[in-house]
Amino acid sequence: MESILSFLGAIPWWAWGIAVLVMIAIRDIFFNQRHTISHNFPIVGHLRYLLESIGPEIRQYFVANNREELPFNRIERGWVYASSKNENNYEGFGTDRDIYMHQHIFVKNCMIPFKMDKNHPNKEDKSFLPCAKVMGLYNNRTKPYRPGSVINISAMSFGSLSARAVESLNIGVQKSNAYHNTGEGGLSPYHSNGGDVIFHFGTGYFGVRNEDGDFSMQKMKELVTKNPFIRAIEIKLSQGAKPGKGGVLPGTKITPEIAQIRGVEVGKDVLSPSSHTAFTNVPELLQFIEDIASETGLPVGIKAAIGKTEQWELLAELMAKTNRGPDFITIDGGEGGTGAAPPSFADHVSLPWVYGFTAIYKIFQKHNLTDRVVFIGSGKLGFPAKAAMAFAMGVDCINVAREAMMSIGCIQAQICHTNRCPSGVATQSKWLQKGINIPLKSDRLAQYFKTFRKEFTEITHAAGYEHPCQFTMNDIDLNVDDGELTKTLEESFKYAKTKVEYTCNQDLKECTYLGGYSK
């Protein structure tokens, strides 16, 4: 034995290296049946797979310029990161953006901006910017709700996001007087840390389902009664990343905690069908909305990505005829998506936000319904200039998902679907989650929202208005194709936004139904 060890110890290190390479070469040539490159080019062929695996990181950090990455470029990510840390988010030496680029946004400023008096709410709180409309007021819901912030967290489930990420977001919205949409994974303990909540459910009815997987009104009533911080309910018809497609949650991912929250069995695959079982047509959807509102007293809305509009026409006709309907409508853009989706869906199914929202707003405007619905926009709108465009088009609030994720540490690794998120935001790995410092990250989400609202308010004042609900489509120019350099939004999309009923910010501050601040 000693002689063997002595012999092995006498072999130089480089000989061991050669031996390992020879073994890899033998494996590649004689045993590898899966990879042509490593078979045809033993050893060196592995370099190709290594470079491919780190290609996204190389492009992100060394190759791509500041403005060309998708879905969010380096300048956009940098603005969110700096804003969330309350650091310098300014630009020096002028913009590096091509301002003649197609669809570039121009906000028209006034010669004399809006001037606040000494008692104006924004003198005391530069980020005070609630929604100008009240959810559920028109339909006489028992518990109307005015969102305390025009920017809020979009639907992201516990399960898709980690427990520590969800908890950070919820504490952050409490600190910034915003609301937190649960996503369709049910209401978790991590959504229950003081922030206003909009309970969202889809075709799986997680958290409000019976043993057969169908919707349970009794469970919905119990959920709302036990959790008074739930301020509204949202029914998901579809989402931007994969509209009209269901999904499967593998049994291996269903922990006892997730099973309890979602109302499913541990270790058993759970199907989210592509369509609802609680209703099958538009009249039944309308009745479903009214039943939930009647039983809970809360405002009820719907969320959808937009494609065909015939059923939206029918919904608007029924709303006008019956004087009933959703209290708010969330329009999701096809460019959205924080989770996993087939490329064919993510790239091609449903319209981008600006086209989808335009189509729906025109329908509701034609039927004189815009004043009774709170319109929420969702789809890369978490930047003040884009928000100004959205408000000019008719939006009353915006929801952000990926921007909120970036504020608490997301680095746009784009591996949300692998459970290997390096920042711990979109993974169930206990080890990776430990990197999320909840008090710190909640402060950063709150600071991002406050910075956003402050800058959005400043842009609004520069345009001569007190509140962004006053923006009109003639206040925003858009670069268009050959022929004319720019057109207003009204000229581009062929409609004029309905004027929003508004008095002043002081009235919003004193509103009985104001969320966040009223607690």
Side-chain angles (χ1 to χ4, degrees):
M1 187 64 179
E2 291 183 3
S3 60
I4 295 175
L5 293 175
S6 178
F7 171 77
L8 294 176
I11 299 175
W13 65 267
W14 52 265
W16 285 109
I18 291 174
V20 170
L21 293 177
V22 169
M23 293 175 65
I24 293 174
I26 292 172
R27 176 260 182 197
D28 288 342
I29 296 171
F30 297 104
F31 300 99
N32 173 29
Q33 301 295 324
R34 298 182 61 187
H35 300 290
T36 303
I37 297 298
S38 57
H39 176 274
N40 293 347
F41 301 93
I43 303 174
V44 295
H46 291 278
L47 183 61
R48 182 261 181 195
Y49 298 107
L50 173 64
L51 292 174
E52 182 183 46
S53 68
I54 62 173
E57 288 78 10
I58 291 174
R59 289 189 292 274
Q60 183 177 43
Y61 294 111
F62 301 108
V63 179
N65 69 36
N66 288 342
R67 296 286 186 184
E68 71 179 6
E69 290 180 273
L70 291 173
F72 294 91
N73 63 49
R74 190 171 294 136
I75 294 295
E76 291 172 328
R77 298 199 311 276
W79 183 85
V80 173
Y81 296 147
S83 298
S84 65
K85 297 173 185 177
N86 201 22
E87 295 177 348
N88 186 340
N89 62 3
Y90 286 20
E91 289 183 6
F93 213 63
T95 181
D96 64 354
R97 184 187 291 271
D98 180 3
I99 62 174
Y100 298 99
M101 182 178 61
H102 179 59
Q103 292 192 341
H104 185 73
I105 299 166
F106 299 93
V107 181
K108 294 180 180 179
N109 60 296
C110 275
M111 184 172 70
I112 302 176
F114 174 82
K115 185 176 181 179
M116 296 182 286
D117 59 44
K118 63 180 181 179
N119 296 318
H120 193 278
N122 288 123
K123 284 284 189 179
E124 178 184 348
D125 180 0
K126 295 182 184 300
S127 69
F128 179 77
L129 196 58
C131 180
K133 290 181 181 175
V134 180
M135 293 179 179
L137 194 61
Y138 179 89
N139 289 320
N140 296 313
R141 308 304 187 200
T142 307
K143 305 171 186 176
Y145 175 57
R146 184 193 298 274
S149 170
V150 297
I151 180 172
N152 302 281
I153 293 180
S154 191
M156 294 186 287
S157 305
F158 166 58
S160 175
L161 299 191
S162 68
R164 295 177 75 89
V166 173
E167 188 169 352
S168 298
L169 294 174
N170 190 257
I171 296 173
V173 299
Q174 190 274 329
K175 293 176 178 178
S176 58
N177 305 299
Y179 68 68
H180 189 180
N181 191 308
T182 63
E184 63 179 312
L187 181 74
S188 73
Y190 314 107
H191 290 104
S192 312
N193 290 278
D196 286 351
V197 163
I198 290 185
F199 180 76
H200 168 110
F201 67 88
T203 58
Y205 306 116
F206 298 125
V208 289
R209 58 190 268 152
N210 59 26
E211 293 181 357
D212 297 326
D214 295 326
F215 176 78
S216 168
M217 185 65 78
Q218 182 61 35
K219 287 192 175 182
M220 174 64 81
K221 291 168 61 178
E222 291 173 358
L223 185 75
V224 170
T225 301
K226 291 178 181 177
N227 302 283
F229 53 82
I230 297 177
R231 306 301 298 271
I233 296 166
E234 183 175 76
I235 304 166
K236 189 190 85 168
L237 305 179
S238 59
Q239 66 186 78
K242 47 182 178 182
K245 178 175 173 57
V248 177
L249 186 64
T252 54
K253 288 189 174 183
I254 301 177
T255 64
E257 181 181 37
I258 290 177
Q260 182 180 9
I261 291 167
R262 298 199 177 200
V264 298
E265 295 182 37
V266 177
K268 185 176 180 181
D269 290 353
V270 177
L271 172 68
S272 294
S274 58
S275 58
H276 281 266
T277 57
F279 54 88
T280 58
N281 54 44
V282 175
E284 290 179 1
L285 167 62
L286 197 63
Q287 187 60 51
F288 186 55
I289 291 169
E290 291 301 317
D291 289 344
I292 294 176
S294 175
E295 293 289 341
T296 65
L298 296 176
V300 179
I302 55 177
K303 173 183 178 177
I306 308 304
K308 298 179 180 180
T309 59
E310 294 86 351
Q311 291 171 326
W312 287 97
E313 285 274 5
L314 177 57
L315 175 62
E317 290 173 5
L318 289 173
M319 287 175 65
K321 182 179 178 181
T322 64
N323 208 30
R324 305 187 304 167
D327 301 292
F328 63 96
I329 296 175
T330 303
I331 302 299
D332 201 11
E335 64 269 56
T338 56
S344 55
F345 273 80
D347 295 345
H348 300 289
V349 183
S350 84
L351 295 172
W353 184 84
V354 289
Y355 303 138
F357 181 81
T358 296
I360 300 308
Y361 191 87
K362 284 181 178 179
I363 291 172
F364 281 77
Q365 188 180 58
K366 180 176 69 175
H367 292 279
N368 298 312
L369 298 169
T370 52
D371 60 336
R372 57 192 258 194
V373 175
V374 174
F375 288 100
I376 302 172
S378 176
K380 296 176 69 174
L381 298 175
F383 304 91
K386 288 185 178 180
M389 177 193 72
F391 272 75
M393 294 175 69
V395 154
D396 301 296
C397 281
I398 64 169
N399 283 355
V400 295
R402 289 170 290 183
E403 297 95 317
M405 291 167 64
M406 287 189 284
S407 76
I408 63 169
C410 167
I411 62 171
Q412 192 172 281
Q414 297 181 268
I415 53 173
C416 311
H417 56 296
T418 66
N419 204 37
R420 293 186 286 106
C421 170
S423 63
V425 174
T427 178
Q428 297 307 305
S429 164
K430 299 294 185 183
W431 170 254
L432 293 172
Q433 288 185 53
K434 286 183 179 180
I436 298 178
N437 181 319
I438 293 174
L440 174 64
K441 298 302 185 181
S442 63
D443 281 344
R444 289 187 177 177
L445 182 279
Q447 188 59 54
Y448 162 56
F449 276 9
K450 290 176 181 179
T451 302
F452 173 95
R453 295 197 305 250
K454 173 181 172 291
E455 291 197 15
F456 193 17
T457 297
E458 291 170 347
I459 287 179
T460 302
H461 290 179
Y465 300 123
E466 183 181 13
H467 191 283
C469 74
Q470 296 171 286
F471 272 112
T472 73
M473 297 187 73
N474 289 320
D475 292 315
I476 311 291
D477 273 7
L478 204 63
N479 274 350
V480 293
D481 288 327
D482 296 340
E484 297 179 59
L485 180 61
T486 66
K487 286 184 178 180
T488 65
L489 291 177
E490 184 174 335
E491 292 172 315
S492 296
F493 295 108
K494 309 300 182 187
Y495 76 95
K497 167 192 169 183
T498 303
K499 184 177 180 180
V500 175
E501 185 178 339
Y502 170 78
T503 52
C504 63
N505 273 11
Q506 187 62 40
D507 286 349
L508 302 186
K509 186 175 182 179
E510 296 171 0
C511 176
T512 305
Y513 311 119
L514 181 63
Y517 297 90
S518 60
K519 294 182 180 178

